[in-house]
Every structure is written in C-alpha cells, then in structure tokens.
C-alpha cells in the first residue's frame, strides 16, 4: 500500500501546471456525476465521493504550490 501511495505521489509531482488544470476539470466533472448518482441512489460505493473531494484538494494544493 505504501508503495502505491509513493508511486501516485511521484506521478502527481511530475505533472505540469496545464496537466494539473485538466486533471482538476476532469475530477470536478467526476464529482458532479457522483453527486447525481448519489442523489438518485445509483452510487453503490459512497466513499468515492470523499476520495474524489480529497483528490481535488490535492491537485489544488499542487497548483497553488507551483505559483
């Protein structure tokens, strides 16, 4: 598990500002879809909402750190 987290962290650090921005847009769209699915009762794994929200925060942190 620790190896996987280290690998993901290294991949995120390697992304450019433009790539981070596009990833942020994709995550926001995914979050919106998850909200709709949750509201209609079609989201079986509700923990993914929290994971997506935290991933958005990580990307935003990286963008702000790059400034």
């Amino acid at each position: 598990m620790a190896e996987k987290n280290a690998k993901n962290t290294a991949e995120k650090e390697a992304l450019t500002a433009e790539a981070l921005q596009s990833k942020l847009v994709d995550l926001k769209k995914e979050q919106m879809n998850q909200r709709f699915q949750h509201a209609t009762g079609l989201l079986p794994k509700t923990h993914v909402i929290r994971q997506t929200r935290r991933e958005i925060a990580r990307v935003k942190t990286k963008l702000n750190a790059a400034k």
Side-chain angles (χ1 to χ4, degrees), residues 12-39:
K12 288 176 200 151
E13 290 177 2
L15 295 176
T16 64
E18 295 160 356
L20 284 171
Q21 196 66 29
S22 67
K23 184 174 177 83
L24 182 63
V25 170
D26 292 340
L27 286 169
K28 292 266 190 177
K29 288 179 184 177
E30 183 179 335
Q31 184 184 37
M32 185 179 65
N33 288 333
Q34 289 171 353
R35 280 197 312 256
F36 288 141
Q37 288 177 357
H38 183 59

Side-chain angles (χ1 to χ4, degrees), residues 4-65:
K4 186 177 181 182
N5 287 341
K7 186 177 180 182
N8 287 340
T9 303
E11 289 174 2
K12 288 176 200 151
E13 290 177 2
L15 295 176
T16 64
E18 295 160 356
L20 284 171
Q21 196 66 29
S22 67
K23 184 174 177 83
L24 182 63
V25 170
D26 292 340
L27 286 169
K28 292 266 190 177
K29 288 179 184 177
E30 183 179 335
Q31 184 184 37
M32 185 179 65
N33 288 333
Q34 289 171 353
R35 280 197 312 256
F36 288 141
Q37 288 177 357
H38 183 59
T40 57
L42 298 176
L43 189 65
K45 298 179 182 177
T46 56
H47 68 277
V48 295
I49 295 171
R50 184 176 185 183
Q51 289 175 341
T52 304
R53 187 175 67 235
R54 289 184 176 186
E55 187 65 27
I56 289 171
R58 287 183 188 104
V59 171
K60 284 184 174 183
T61 301
K62 278 306 243 184
L63 281 171
N64 286 330

